Amino acid sequence: MDMDSASSVVLQALTQATSQDTAVLKPAEEQLRQWETQPGFYSVLLNIFNNHMLDVNVRWLAVLYFKNGIDRYWRRVAPHALSEEEKTSLRAGLITNFNEPVNQIATQIAVLIAKVARLDCPRHWPELIPILLESVKGQESLQQHRALLTFYHVTKTLASKCLAPDRRLFQELASNIYSFACSLWSHHTDCFLQQIYARDEAAALSSLERTLLSLKVRPDSPCREKLEKTIILYTKVLLDFLEHHPCAFIPLIQRSLEFAVSYVFTPVGEGVTFERFIVQCMNLIKIILKNDAYKPNKNIEDSKPESLEAHKIKTAFFTHSTLTEIGRRLVSHYLLLTEEELAMWEEDPESFGNGNLPCTEVLFLDIFHTYSQTLTPVLLEMVQNLQGPTNVEDSVQLLMKDAVYNAVGLAAYELFDNVDFDQWFKNQLLGELQVSHHRYKLIRRRVIWLIGQWISVKFKSDLRPLLYEVILSLMQDPDLVYLESIFGLLFQLLQQVTECDTKMQVLHVISCVVERVNIQIRPYVGCLVQYLPLLWKQSEEHNMLRCAILTTLIHLVQGLGAESKNLYPFLLPVIQLSTDVSQPPHVYLLEDGLELWLVTLENSPALTPELLRIFQNMSALLGDETTGYFVSALLDQYCIVV
């Protein structure tokens, strides 16, 4: 491509390619695609996006075409690969100056330089890093920022290379620049702090941007947000160091615990902490608590000196008073439901109920398990202070009771010897479940959850009928569902919920009920049998929900016995699909489908043509070790039925 004549036609095509008129846009895009393999095309693009006088959109598009061309044509072995001469010229042009005025374009240029560096640095581009370092040292503000931005993307990209020779090259490179990057970060951090004290917000923001770029780039953020992100990056570095180098971290355990606990569990942090920082601090405490490298062996003589040292530091730090304060604050401050969480419960109770265990609850579990002897009396005292029904007008006490009951549920196994749960159920919890006021539903919800946590830990069997009656009354509560029998209530709940996970949970309970009562379920399954085909159709994109339906069908067939033949119009196509290895869903459905097939045969009074037709799926299953048991059992059962 002739450079003298090419620039104007490429510029015209790029301009047309930014048009909103498809009649103009499409031909321009096609022309640019044809030029991608022409010699000199990327040199023209470089000149265009380096020309700050041109339209921003045109320059942006030129950068994108250049960046895409690196992926397609930069490697020597690529079809239509760029010549070595042009690549040499392009590499030189990319690092001639770092003065791009538009942030978005500057970021894209930094990314494309990093892409070239991944392929060529340092072997074919040895001058890149020295030029970047020299530019970063410059005094001109924009040049320094853009060079830092590029420096970040280059090092990030080079660090991602996995081959051993590449790793060795990067280690050599990192050893030469690490101290410089640290000094740069320290310098800009000091500048930022000085400017904050001087109330020079503009200068402080500029220094903070450079501080952040020394770790990770986040352009165009407000000062507060940048500061928070910088703090998060600091704590992330600390967490990564702790995770990957626990022994080297031992000298930092004491100071890290002092830092995290003071900001999260004492008045020091009030008004200055923010959510992500609190989470990071809690993770720091949790990892130190649970780190195996910090735990001595049962036989102390076999323990490593590092483990003994770390254990000694932890023991000295977690005094009775410190643990008491942490325990109280975890429950009374961090386990409290927030206004946002209460609003979420009102607006979308299914999603609220299906959330993951929050960081606070995980830390509570870990620290209570480790120091249960100290924390048990603290928690029991909090329970004692909340005995009796709580005034429905006292929202603070309602939230506190919810938090304390949450803690007692989480620590159920640890509290086994300290709580007479049967007496507590009869004397306190049962009464709480019978308070029908709308505002008390928070406590009713928590109490029934609490019982669920304890029922497998410590709950007398002769109390269960009373519990079942309470559950039935709760399920008839206007907050939930409206039918009379347990099965009818569960079925109604299954119809009303919309979240896939919630339907799976309800189906699991229904399956357990059907399995437990077996043939006694027959009078009550009519509605469910009619609903399952619709649910199966609706769950076409949700294979895990279909697995739950298959499990329910397995127990239904076993409960219905020979009467299950009435389900065949729905049941047999389900088995056919689930056990057909040519169908993609079989990856999820095959095992449950085979079990359903087997129980259907076992409960079939005769071998119908439809049952025989499913047998065509058998040939593809023969010889598969993972399904061997079911295949063998199915073959035997077909012989028996015949």
Side-chain angles (χ1 to χ4, degrees), residues 74 76 84 88 91 116-130 158 161 163-170 172-173:
W74 200 273
R76 295 180 184 179
E84 292 302 316
T88 299
R91 285 191 294 258
V116 176
R118 181 179 178 85
L119 298 172
D120 290 359
C121 184
R123 189 172 292 107
H124 302 293
W125 205 3
E127 65 273 20
L128 172 62
I129 300 300
L158 293 179
K161 300 179 75 172
L163 295 178
D166 293 326
R167 300 297 297 172
R168 285 194 295 271
L169 283 171
F170 180 74
E172 181 181 345
L173 169 67

PDB file of all heavy atoms in Angstrom, residues 74 76 84 88 91 116-130 158 161 163-170 172-173:
ATOM      1  N   TRP A  74       0.278 -10.950  13.256  1.00  0.00           N
ATOM      2  CA  TRP A  74       1.594 -10.587  13.782  1.00  0.00           C
ATOM      3  C   TRP A  74       2.540 -11.778  13.845  1.00  0.00           C
ATOM      4  O   TRP A  74       3.744 -11.642  13.640  1.00  0.00           O
ATOM      5  CB  TRP A  74       1.446  -9.947  15.168  1.00  0.00           C
ATOM      6  CG  TRP A  74       2.650  -9.145  15.557  1.00  0.00           C
ATOM      7  CD1 TRP A  74       3.778  -9.591  16.170  1.00  0.00           C
ATOM      8  CD2 TRP A  74       2.845  -7.740  15.333  1.00  0.00           C
ATOM      9  NE1 TRP A  74       4.666  -8.569  16.349  1.00  0.00           N
ATOM     10  CE2 TRP A  74       4.126  -7.406  15.845  1.00  0.00           C
ATOM     11  CE3 TRP A  74       2.090  -6.737  14.750  1.00  0.00           C
ATOM     12  CZ2 TRP A  74       4.646  -6.118  15.804  1.00  0.00           C
ATOM     13  CZ3 TRP A  74       2.596  -5.450  14.710  1.00  0.00           C
ATOM     14  CH2 TRP A  74       3.858  -5.149  15.222  1.00  0.00           C
ATOM     15  N   ARG A  76       4.723 -14.926  12.857  1.00  0.00           N
ATOM     16  CA  ARG A  76       5.417 -15.222  11.605  1.00  0.00           C
ATOM     17  C   ARG A  76       4.702 -16.291  10.798  1.00  0.00           C
ATOM     18  O   ARG A  76       4.710 -16.263   9.564  1.00  0.00           O
ATOM     19  CB  ARG A  76       6.841 -15.695  11.896  1.00  0.00           C
ATOM     20  CG  ARG A  76       7.741 -14.655  12.535  1.00  0.00           C
ATOM     21  CD  ARG A  76       9.124 -15.246  12.763  1.00  0.00           C
ATOM     22  NE  ARG A  76       9.992 -14.298  13.457  1.00  0.00           N
ATOM     23  CZ  ARG A  76      11.238 -14.572  13.797  1.00  0.00           C
ATOM     24  NH1 ARG A  76      11.764 -15.765  13.501  1.00  0.00           N
ATOM     25  NH2 ARG A  76      11.972 -13.669  14.429  1.00  0.00           N
ATOM     26  N   GLU A  84       8.719  -8.555   8.625  1.00  0.00           N
ATOM     27  CA  GLU A  84       9.552  -8.179   9.760  1.00  0.00           C
ATOM     28  C   GLU A  84       9.919  -6.694   9.704  1.00  0.00           C
ATOM     29  O   GLU A  84      10.039  -6.034  10.732  1.00  0.00           O
ATOM     30  CB  GLU A  84      10.817  -9.040   9.795  1.00  0.00           C
ATOM     31  CG  GLU A  84      10.559 -10.507  10.110  1.00  0.00           C
ATOM     32  CD  GLU A  84       9.859 -10.695  11.449  1.00  0.00           C
ATOM     33  OE1 GLU A  84      10.255 -10.033  12.432  1.00  0.00           O
ATOM     34  OE2 GLU A  84       8.900 -11.492  11.506  1.00  0.00           O
ATOM     35  N   THR A  88       9.019  -4.042  12.676  1.00  0.00           N
ATOM     36  CA  THR A  88      10.064  -3.239  13.319  1.00  0.00           C
ATOM     37  C   THR A  88       9.663  -1.766  13.343  1.00  0.00           C
ATOM     38  O   THR A  88       9.813  -1.074  14.362  1.00  0.00           O
ATOM     39  CB  THR A  88      11.401  -3.409  12.576  1.00  0.00           C
ATOM     40  OG1 THR A  88      11.787  -4.779  12.625  1.00  0.00           O
ATOM     41  CG2 THR A  88      12.486  -2.543  13.205  1.00  0.00           C
ATOM     42  N   ARG A  91       6.700  -1.272  15.858  1.00  0.00           N
ATOM     43  CA  ARG A  91       7.142  -1.307  17.253  1.00  0.00           C
ATOM     44  C   ARG A  91       7.772   0.025  17.653  1.00  0.00           C
ATOM     45  O   ARG A  91       7.521   0.552  18.742  1.00  0.00           O
ATOM     46  CB  ARG A  91       8.131  -2.450  17.478  1.00  0.00           C
ATOM     47  CG  ARG A  91       7.468  -3.821  17.524  1.00  0.00           C
ATOM     48  CD  ARG A  91       8.445  -4.882  18.024  1.00  0.00           C
ATOM     49  NE  ARG A  91       9.537  -5.095  17.091  1.00  0.00           N
ATOM     50  CZ  ARG A  91       9.633  -6.115  16.243  1.00  0.00           C
ATOM     51  NH1 ARG A  91       8.672  -7.047  16.215  1.00  0.00           N
ATOM     52  NH2 ARG A  91      10.672  -6.239  15.439  1.00  0.00           N
ATOM     53  N   VAL A 116       1.635  -6.970  21.544  1.00  0.00           N
ATOM     54  CA  VAL A 116       2.879  -7.114  20.780  1.00  0.00           C
ATOM     55  C   VAL A 116       4.001  -7.597  21.699  1.00  0.00           C
ATOM     56  O   VAL A 116       4.808  -8.460  21.330  1.00  0.00           O
ATOM     57  CB  VAL A 116       3.262  -5.782  20.107  1.00  0.00           C
ATOM     58  CG1 VAL A 116       4.612  -5.909  19.399  1.00  0.00           C
ATOM     59  CG2 VAL A 116       2.184  -5.360  19.101  1.00  0.00           C
ATOM     60  N   ALA A 117       4.044  -7.053  22.914  1.00  0.00           N
ATOM     61  CA  ALA A 117       5.089  -7.447  23.866  1.00  0.00           C
ATOM     62  C   ALA A 117       5.009  -8.938  24.190  1.00  0.00           C
ATOM     63  O   ALA A 117       6.040  -9.600  24.350  1.00  0.00           O
ATOM     64  CB  ALA A 117       4.959  -6.625  25.148  1.00  0.00           C
ATOM     65  N   ARG A 118       3.801  -9.448  24.275  1.00  0.00           N
ATOM     66  CA  ARG A 118       3.638 -10.879  24.577  1.00  0.00           C
ATOM     67  C   ARG A 118       4.318 -11.741  23.515  1.00  0.00           C
ATOM     68  O   ARG A 118       4.866 -12.804  23.810  1.00  0.00           O
ATOM     69  CB  ARG A 118       2.152 -11.217  24.666  1.00  0.00           C
ATOM     70  CG  ARG A 118       1.879 -12.686  25.008  1.00  0.00           C
ATOM     71  CD  ARG A 118       0.388 -12.966  25.107  1.00  0.00           C
ATOM     72  NE  ARG A 118       0.156 -14.372  25.391  1.00  0.00           N
ATOM     73  CZ  ARG A 118       0.149 -14.919  26.592  1.00  0.00           C
ATOM     74  NH1 ARG A 118       0.377 -14.170  27.655  1.00  0.00           N
ATOM     75  NH2 ARG A 118      -0.069 -16.213  26.755  1.00  0.00           N
ATOM     76  N   LEU A 119       4.300 -11.275  22.274  1.00  0.00           N
ATOM     77  CA  LEU A 119       4.884 -12.049  21.173  1.00  0.00           C
ATOM     78  C   LEU A 119       6.360 -11.734  20.945  1.00  0.00           C
ATOM     79  O   LEU A 119       7.128 -12.611  20.526  1.00  0.00           O
ATOM     80  CB  LEU A 119       4.098 -11.765  19.886  1.00  0.00           C
ATOM     81  CG  LEU A 119       2.610 -12.156  19.910  1.00  0.00           C
ATOM     82  CD1 LEU A 119       1.914 -11.638  18.648  1.00  0.00           C
ATOM     83  CD2 LEU A 119       2.441 -13.654  20.021  1.00  0.00           C
ATOM     84  N   ASP A 120       6.772 -10.491  21.230  1.00  0.00           N
ATOM     85  CA  ASP A 120       8.104 -10.055  20.791  1.00  0.00           C
ATOM     86  C   ASP A 120       9.073  -9.686  21.908  1.00  0.00           C
ATOM     87  O   ASP A 120      10.280  -9.565  21.654  1.00  0.00           O
ATOM     88  CB  ASP A 120       7.971  -8.837  19.867  1.00  0.00           C
ATOM     89  CG  ASP A 120       7.367  -9.211  18.519  1.00  0.00           C
ATOM     90  OD1 ASP A 120       7.079 -10.409  18.314  1.00  0.00           O
ATOM     91  OD2 ASP A 120       7.170  -8.310  17.690  1.00  0.00           O
ATOM     92  N   CYS A 121       8.572  -9.458  23.119  1.00  0.00           N
ATOM     93  CA  CYS A 121       9.449  -8.963  24.183  1.00  0.00           C
ATOM     94  C   CYS A 121       9.943 -10.114  25.062  1.00  0.00           C
ATOM     95  O   CYS A 121       9.152 -10.998  25.423  1.00  0.00           O
ATOM     96  CB  CYS A 121       8.685  -7.951  25.045  1.00  0.00           C
ATOM     97  SG  CYS A 121       9.680  -7.174  26.326  1.00  0.00           S
ATOM     98  N   PRO A 122      11.223 -10.125  25.413  1.00  0.00           N
ATOM     99  CA  PRO A 122      12.253  -9.114  25.079  1.00  0.00           C
ATOM    100  C   PRO A 122      13.083  -9.469  23.853  1.00  0.00           C
ATOM    101  O   PRO A 122      13.907  -8.669  23.433  1.00  0.00           O
ATOM    102  CB  PRO A 122      13.123  -9.122  26.340  1.00  0.00           C
ATOM    103  CG  PRO A 122      13.065 -10.550  26.798  1.00  0.00           C
ATOM    104  CD  PRO A 122      11.680 -11.050  26.455  1.00  0.00           C
ATOM    105  N   ARG A 123      12.879 -10.646  23.282  1.00  0.00           N
ATOM    106  CA  ARG A 123      13.801 -11.114  22.243  1.00  0.00           C
ATOM    107  C   ARG A 123      13.817 -10.169  21.041  1.00  0.00           C
ATOM    108  O   ARG A 123      14.880  -9.786  20.556  1.00  0.00           O
ATOM    109  CB  ARG A 123      13.412 -12.535  21.821  1.00  0.00           C
ATOM    110  CG  ARG A 123      14.433 -13.204  20.905  1.00  0.00           C
ATOM    111  CD  ARG A 123      14.089 -14.666  20.681  1.00  0.00           C
ATOM    112  NE  ARG A 123      14.254 -15.479  21.894  1.00  0.00           N
ATOM    113  CZ  ARG A 123      13.241 -15.958  22.613  1.00  0.00           C
ATOM    114  NH1 ARG A 123      11.993 -15.702  22.246  1.00  0.00           N
ATOM    115  NH2 ARG A 123      13.467 -16.670  23.697  1.00  0.00           N
ATOM    116  N   HIS A 124      12.659  -9.806  20.529  1.00  0.00           N
ATOM    117  CA  HIS A 124      12.602  -8.956  19.337  1.00  0.00           C
ATOM    118  C   HIS A 124      12.275  -7.502  19.662  1.00  0.00           C
ATOM    119  O   HIS A 124      12.226  -6.669  18.756  1.00  0.00           O
ATOM    120  CB  HIS A 124      11.560  -9.500  18.361  1.00  0.00           C
ATOM    121  CG  HIS A 124      11.813 -10.909  17.925  1.00  0.00           C
ATOM    122  ND1 HIS A 124      12.901 -11.255  17.150  1.00  0.00           N
ATOM    123  CD2 HIS A 124      11.145 -12.070  18.186  1.00  0.00           C
ATOM    124  CE1 HIS A 124      12.884 -12.567  16.932  1.00  0.00           C
ATOM    125  NE2 HIS A 124      11.838 -13.083  17.556  1.00  0.00           N
ATOM    126  N   TRP A 125      12.067  -7.225  20.923  1.00  0.00           N
ATOM    127  CA  TRP A 125      11.738  -5.844  21.310  1.00  0.00           C
ATOM    128  C   TRP A 125      12.444  -5.505  22.613  1.00  0.00           C
ATOM    129  O   TRP A 125      11.823  -5.163  23.620  1.00  0.00           O
ATOM    130  CB  TRP A 125      10.223  -5.702  21.470  1.00  0.00           C
ATOM    131  CG  TRP A 125       9.710  -4.308  21.273  1.00  0.00           C
ATOM    132  CD1 TRP A 125      10.419  -3.208  20.921  1.00  0.00           C
ATOM    133  CD2 TRP A 125       8.350  -3.891  21.426  1.00  0.00           C
ATOM    134  NE1 TRP A 125       9.609  -2.118  20.836  1.00  0.00           N
ATOM    135  CE2 TRP A 125       8.325  -2.504  21.126  1.00  0.00           C
ATOM    136  CE3 TRP A 125       7.167  -4.525  21.751  1.00  0.00           C
ATOM    137  CZ2 TRP A 125       7.133  -1.762  21.175  1.00  0.00           C
ATOM    138  CZ3 TRP A 125       5.984  -3.801  21.798  1.00  0.00           C
ATOM    139  CH2 TRP A 125       5.963  -2.439  21.517  1.00  0.00           C
ATOM    140  N   PRO A 126      13.754  -5.578  22.648  1.00  0.00           N
ATOM    141  CA  PRO A 126      14.496  -5.380  23.898  1.00  0.00           C
ATOM    142  C   PRO A 126      14.406  -3.958  24.429  1.00  0.00           C
ATOM    143  O   PRO A 126      14.631  -3.718  25.614  1.00  0.00           O
ATOM    144  CB  PRO A 126      15.936  -5.740  23.510  1.00  0.00           C
ATOM    145  CG  PRO A 126      16.006  -5.503  22.036  1.00  0.00           C
ATOM    146  CD  PRO A 126      14.651  -5.858  21.503  1.00  0.00           C
ATOM    147  N   GLU A 127      14.087  -3.014  23.552  1.00  0.00           N
ATOM    148  CA  GLU A 127      14.081  -1.616  23.988  1.00  0.00           C
ATOM    149  C   GLU A 127      12.780  -1.218  24.693  1.00  0.00           C
ATOM    150  O   GLU A 127      12.694  -0.118  25.277  1.00  0.00           O
ATOM    151  CB  GLU A 127      14.321  -0.681  22.787  1.00  0.00           C
ATOM    152  CG  GLU A 127      13.230  -0.699  21.725  1.00  0.00           C
ATOM    153  CD  GLU A 127      13.443  -1.783  20.679  1.00  0.00           C
ATOM    154  OE1 GLU A 127      14.186  -2.748  20.959  1.00  0.00           O
ATOM    155  OE2 GLU A 127      12.862  -1.654  19.585  1.00  0.00           O
ATOM    156  N   LEU A 128      11.751  -2.072  24.655  1.00  0.00           N
ATOM    157  CA  LEU A 128      10.443  -1.676  25.197  1.00  0.00           C
ATOM    158  C   LEU A 128      10.524  -1.301  26.674  1.00  0.00           C
ATOM    159  O   LEU A 128      10.135  -0.196  27.066  1.00  0.00           O
ATOM    160  CB  LEU A 128       9.429  -2.809  24.993  1.00  0.00           C
ATOM    161  CG  LEU A 128       8.074  -2.598  25.684  1.00  0.00           C
ATOM    162  CD1 LEU A 128       7.373  -1.366  25.133  1.00  0.00           C
ATOM    163  CD2 LEU A 128       7.185  -3.830  25.542  1.00  0.00           C
ATOM    164  N   ILE A 129      10.986  -2.230  27.513  1.00  0.00           N
ATOM    165  CA  ILE A 129      10.995  -1.988  28.957  1.00  0.00           C
ATOM    166  C   ILE A 129      11.874  -0.793  29.325  1.00  0.00           C
ATOM    167  O   ILE A 129      11.455   0.077  30.110  1.00  0.00           O
ATOM    168  CB  ILE A 129      11.425  -3.255  29.718  1.00  0.00           C
ATOM    169  CG1 ILE A 129      10.455  -4.408  29.425  1.00  0.00           C
ATOM    170  CG2 ILE A 129      11.497  -2.984  31.217  1.00  0.00           C
ATOM    171  CD1 ILE A 129       9.020  -4.144  29.827  1.00  0.00           C
ATOM    172  N   PRO A 130      13.098  -0.679  28.793  1.00  0.00           N
ATOM    173  CA  PRO A 130      13.906   0.502  29.122  1.00  0.00           C
ATOM    174  C   PRO A 130      13.221   1.814  28.765  1.00  0.00           C
ATOM    175  O   PRO A 130      13.298   2.789  29.529  1.00  0.00           O
ATOM    176  CB  PRO A 130      15.187   0.297  28.300  1.00  0.00           C
ATOM    177  CG  PRO A 130      15.289  -1.194  28.138  1.00  0.00           C
ATOM    178  CD  PRO A 130      13.879  -1.662  28.001  1.00  0.00           C
ATOM    179  N   LEU A 158       2.893 -10.142  30.203  1.00  0.00           N
ATOM    180  CA  LEU A 158       4.080 -11.008  30.238  1.00  0.00           C
ATOM    181  C   LEU A 158       3.993 -12.014  31.385  1.00  0.00           C
ATOM    182  O   LEU A 158       4.454 -13.152  31.263  1.00  0.00           O
ATOM    183  CB  LEU A 158       5.339 -10.160  30.379  1.00  0.00           C
ATOM    184  CG  LEU A 158       5.693  -9.260  29.193  1.00  0.00           C
ATOM    185  CD1 LEU A 158       6.965  -8.463  29.477  1.00  0.00           C
ATOM    186  CD2 LEU A 158       5.877 -10.075  27.914  1.00  0.00           C
ATOM    187  N   LYS A 161       2.235 -15.513  30.654  1.00  0.00           N
ATOM    188  CA  LYS A 161       2.814 -16.547  29.794  1.00  0.00           C
ATOM    189  C   LYS A 161       3.232 -17.744  30.636  1.00  0.00           C
ATOM    190  O   LYS A 161       3.782 -17.596  31.729  1.00  0.00           O
ATOM    191  CB  LYS A 161       4.006 -15.983  29.012  1.00  0.00           C
ATOM    192  CG  LYS A 161       3.628 -14.797  28.121  1.00  0.00           C
ATOM    193  CD  LYS A 161       4.819 -14.245  27.370  1.00  0.00           C
ATOM    194  CE  LYS A 161       5.234 -15.110  26.217  1.00  0.00           C
ATOM    195  NZ  LYS A 161       6.260 -14.493  25.362  1.00  0.00           N
ATOM    196  N   LEU A 163       4.853 -20.924  29.387  1.00  0.00           N
ATOM    197  CA  LEU A 163       5.960 -21.801  29.020  1.00  0.00           C
ATOM    198  C   LEU A 163       7.186 -21.496  29.874  1.00  0.00           C
ATOM    199  O   LEU A 163       7.452 -20.345  30.237  1.00  0.00           O
ATOM    200  CB  LEU A 163       6.301 -21.636  27.539  1.00  0.00           C
ATOM    201  CG  LEU A 163       5.205 -22.087  26.552  1.00  0.00           C
ATOM    202  CD1 LEU A 163       5.661 -21.820  25.124  1.00  0.00           C
ATOM    203  CD2 LEU A 163       4.872 -23.554  26.746  1.00  0.00           C
ATOM    204  N   ALA A 164       7.967 -22.534  30.184  1.00  0.00           N
ATOM    205  CA  ALA A 164       9.109 -22.383  31.090  1.00  0.00           C
ATOM    206  C   ALA A 164      10.102 -21.322  30.628  1.00  0.00           C
ATOM    207  O   ALA A 164      10.546 -20.483  31.439  1.00  0.00           O
ATOM    208  CB  ALA A 164       9.804 -23.730  31.276  1.00  0.00           C
ATOM    209  N   PRO A 165      10.510 -21.289  29.339  1.00  0.00           N
ATOM    210  CA  PRO A 165      11.456 -20.240  28.911  1.00  0.00           C
ATOM    211  C   PRO A 165      10.873 -18.841  29.099  1.00  0.00           C
ATOM    212  O   PRO A 165      11.596 -17.916  29.495  1.00  0.00           O
ATOM    213  CB  PRO A 165      11.686 -20.557  27.426  1.00  0.00           C
ATOM    214  CG  PRO A 165      11.357 -22.009  27.290  1.00  0.00           C
ATOM    215  CD  PRO A 165      10.241 -22.257  28.237  1.00  0.00           C
ATOM    216  N   ASP A 166       9.580 -18.695  28.822  1.00  0.00           N
ATOM    217  CA  ASP A 166       8.931 -17.396  29.008  1.00  0.00           C
ATOM    218  C   ASP A 166       8.900 -17.008  30.477  1.00  0.00           C
ATOM    219  O   ASP A 166       9.083 -15.838  30.834  1.00  0.00           O
ATOM    220  CB  ASP A 166       7.507 -17.427  28.447  1.00  0.00           C
ATOM    221  CG  ASP A 166       7.485 -17.586  26.942  1.00  0.00           C
ATOM    222  OD1 ASP A 166       8.398 -17.054  26.287  1.00  0.00           O
ATOM    223  OD2 ASP A 166       6.571 -18.248  26.424  1.00  0.00           O
ATOM    224  N   ARG A 167       8.638 -17.984  31.357  1.00  0.00           N
ATOM    225  CA  ARG A 167       8.611 -17.702  32.789  1.00  0.00           C
ATOM    226  C   ARG A 167       9.992 -17.250  33.280  1.00  0.00           C
ATOM    227  O   ARG A 167      10.105 -16.337  34.094  1.00  0.00           O
ATOM    228  CB  ARG A 167       8.166 -18.943  33.570  1.00  0.00           C
ATOM    229  CG  ARG A 167       6.783 -19.476  33.215  1.00  0.00           C
ATOM    230  CD  ARG A 167       5.704 -18.482  33.514  1.00  0.00           C
ATOM    231  NE  ARG A 167       5.616 -18.177  34.940  1.00  0.00           N
ATOM    232  CZ  ARG A 167       4.848 -17.221  35.431  1.00  0.00           C
ATOM    233  NH1 ARG A 167       4.140 -16.451  34.626  1.00  0.00           N
ATOM    234  NH2 ARG A 167       4.794 -17.011  36.730  1.00  0.00           N
ATOM    235  N   ARG A 168      11.029 -17.912  32.770  1.00  0.00           N
ATOM    236  CA  ARG A 168      12.383 -17.523  33.176  1.00  0.00           C
ATOM    237  C   ARG A 168      12.712 -16.101  32.722  1.00  0.00           C
ATOM    238  O   ARG A 168      13.318 -15.324  33.463  1.00  0.00           O
ATOM    239  CB  ARG A 168      13.403 -18.512  32.618  1.00  0.00           C
ATOM    240  CG  ARG A 168      13.427 -19.852  33.354  1.00  0.00           C
ATOM    241  CD  ARG A 168      14.658 -20.654  32.986  1.00  0.00           C
ATOM    242  NE  ARG A 168      14.659 -21.040  31.581  1.00  0.00           N
ATOM    243  CZ  ARG A 168      14.107 -22.159  31.113  1.00  0.00           C
ATOM    244  NH1 ARG A 168      13.511 -23.004  31.956  1.00  0.00           N
ATOM    245  NH2 ARG A 168      14.151 -22.453  29.824  1.00  0.00           N
ATOM    246  N   LEU A 169      12.309 -15.781  31.492  1.00  0.00           N
ATOM    247  CA  LEU A 169      12.544 -14.430  30.990  1.00  0.00           C
ATOM    248  C   LEU A 169      11.808 -13.395  31.830  1.00  0.00           C
ATOM    249  O   LEU A 169      12.345 -12.325  32.138  1.00  0.00           O
ATOM    250  CB  LEU A 169      12.098 -14.334  29.523  1.00  0.00           C
ATOM    251  CG  LEU A 169      13.039 -14.945  28.484  1.00  0.00           C
ATOM    252  CD1 LEU A 169      12.374 -14.971  27.123  1.00  0.00           C
ATOM    253  CD2 LEU A 169      14.347 -14.156  28.425  1.00  0.00           C
ATOM    254  N   PHE A 170      10.562 -13.724  32.203  1.00  0.00           N
ATOM    255  CA  PHE A 170       9.800 -12.765  33.003  1.00  0.00           C
ATOM    256  C   PHE A 170      10.402 -12.609  34.392  1.00  0.00           C
ATOM    257  O   PHE A 170      10.449 -11.500  34.938  1.00  0.00           O
ATOM    258  CB  PHE A 170       8.339 -13.196  33.113  1.00  0.00           C
ATOM    259  CG  PHE A 170       7.515 -12.228  33.930  1.00  0.00           C
ATOM    260  CD1 PHE A 170       7.150 -11.006  33.398  1.00  0.00           C
ATOM    261  CD2 PHE A 170       7.146 -12.533  35.231  1.00  0.00           C
ATOM    262  CE1 PHE A 170       6.418 -10.094  34.151  1.00  0.00           C
ATOM    263  CE2 PHE A 170       6.419 -11.632  35.990  1.00  0.00           C
ATOM    264  CZ  PHE A 170       6.049 -10.405  35.448  1.00  0.00           C
ATOM    265  N   GLU A 172      13.485 -12.846  35.164  1.00  0.00           N
ATOM    266  CA  GLU A 172      14.664 -11.993  35.004  1.00  0.00           C
ATOM    267  C   GLU A 172      14.251 -10.535  34.865  1.00  0.00           C
ATOM    268  O   GLU A 172      14.852  -9.637  35.467  1.00  0.00           O
ATOM    269  CB  GLU A 172      15.458 -12.440  33.777  1.00  0.00           C
ATOM    270  CG  GLU A 172      16.719 -11.627  33.542  1.00  0.00           C
ATOM    271  CD  GLU A 172      17.464 -12.090  32.294  1.00  0.00           C
ATOM    272  OE1 GLU A 172      17.164 -13.196  31.794  1.00  0.00           O
ATOM    273  OE2 GLU A 172      18.333 -11.343  31.829  1.00  0.00           O
ATOM    274  N   LEU A 173      13.209 -10.319  34.065  1.00  0.00           N
ATOM    275  CA  LEU A 173      12.705  -8.961  33.878  1.00  0.00           C
ATOM    276  C   LEU A 173      12.185  -8.399  35.199  1.00  0.00           C
ATOM    277  O   LEU A 173      12.495  -7.264  35.583  1.00  0.00           O
ATOM    278  CB  LEU A 173      11.591  -8.976  32.830  1.00  0.00           C
ATOM    279  CG  LEU A 173      10.766  -7.693  32.675  1.00  0.00           C
ATOM    280  CD1 LEU A 173      11.639  -6.581  32.125  1.00  0.00           C
ATOM    281  CD2 LEU A 173       9.568  -7.940  31.755  1.00  0.00           C
TER     282      LEU A 173
END
